[in-house]
């Protein structure tokens, strides 16, 4: 069962959300019982915990100094939301999609570190912030640099998003 979890996470890292979901489906059909208990050769806990992390990898990734929001969503997940997932650099990230379009991304800085974001929206704007010093700017690599003081929060929306 653990191989399916690993394949799901790797698929997410490659941005292949449909494959990631398929591998988790194989895990559920082959190893998780109707009562939600995981069974292989004996009692184990690491595979179900890793499966939860594999879902997390579809929703949010942070590595190499960049926080990626919705990096590997399956095409069937048209409506998705999460709240306060932790990312490298001491950030809490929340986001929501409806009808396949990202409606907002909220970032809260717990340490005041620089934040590079890879966002699933074109031309995001800084809609609301808890600190006037917050700043959002594009980078040459297609990511967005978000400057947030420690404890500050910002909400990003697509430029054309009706609120």
């Amino acid at each position: 069962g653990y191989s399916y979890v690993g394949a799901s996470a790797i698929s997410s890292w490659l941005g292949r959300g449909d494959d990631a979901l398929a591998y988790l489906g194989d895990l559920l059909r082959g190893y998780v019982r109707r009562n939600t208990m995981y069974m292989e050769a004996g009692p184990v806990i690491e595979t179900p915990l890793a499966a939860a992390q594999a879902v997390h990898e579809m929703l949010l990734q942070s590595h190499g100094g960049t926080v990626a929001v919705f990096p590997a969503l399956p095409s069937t997940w048209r409506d998705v939301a999460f709240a306060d997932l932790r990312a490298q650099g001491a950030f809490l990230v929340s986001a929501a999609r409806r009808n396949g379009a990202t409606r907002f991304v909220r970032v809260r800085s717990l340490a005041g570190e620089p934040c590079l974001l890879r966002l699933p929206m074109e031309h995001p704007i800084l809609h609301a912030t808890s600190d006037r010093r917050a700043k959002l700017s594009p980078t040459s690599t297609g990511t967005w640099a978000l400057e947030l003081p420690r404890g500050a929060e910002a909400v990003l929306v697509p430029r054309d998003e009706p609120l």
Side-chain angles (χ1 to χ4, degrees):
Y2 198 77
S3 297
Y4 292 114
V5 172
S8 177
I10 290 168
S11 295
S12 290
W13 298 333
L14 295 172
R16 300 170 73 178
D18 288 330
D19 292 342
L21 181 62
Y23 285 118
L24 288 180
D26 291 342
L27 169 74
L28 291 172
R29 285 186 295 281
Y31 295 96
V32 178
R33 302 297 175 235
R34 289 182 184 177
N35 64 0
T36 72
M37 296 300 290
Y38 173 76
M39 183 170 166
E40 220 174 291
V44 293
I45 189 65
E46 67 275 1
T47 299
L49 295 175
Q53 179 61 33
V55 172
H56 185 192
E57 297 292 342
M58 291 183 214
L59 301 173
L60 183 74
Q61 294 178 23
S62 60
H63 43 79
T66 301
V67 177
V69 180
F70 296 134
L73 287 185
S75 58
T76 56
W77 290 10
R78 308 275 302 147
D79 299 321
V80 180
F82 66 85
D84 292 337
L85 292 181
R86 293 186 179 270
Q88 287 178 349
F91 299 103
L92 294 178
V93 181
S94 302
R97 287 175 64 89
R98 188 171 13 174
N99 295 324
T102 301
R103 303 278 293 175
F104 76 88
V105 174
R106 185 184 73 215
V107 179
R108 180 176 179 146
S109 175
L110 301 177
E113 295 294 318
C115 183
L116 282 178
L117 294 165
R118 190 171 38 155
L119 298 170
M121 62 177 84
E122 290 187 36
H123 310 294
I125 60 170
L126 192 57
H127 174 68
T129 181
S130 63
D131 191 301
R132 293 187 339 222
R133 295 174 290 173
K135 181 180 174 187
L136 180 68
S137 55
T139 71
S140 62
T141 62
T143 58
W144 293 86
L146 178 62
E147 297 176 31
L148 278 177
R150 182 179 182 183
E153 182 176 283
V155 177
L156 311 172
V157 298
R159 178 171 287 150
D160 300 329
E161 181 65 30
L163 295 175

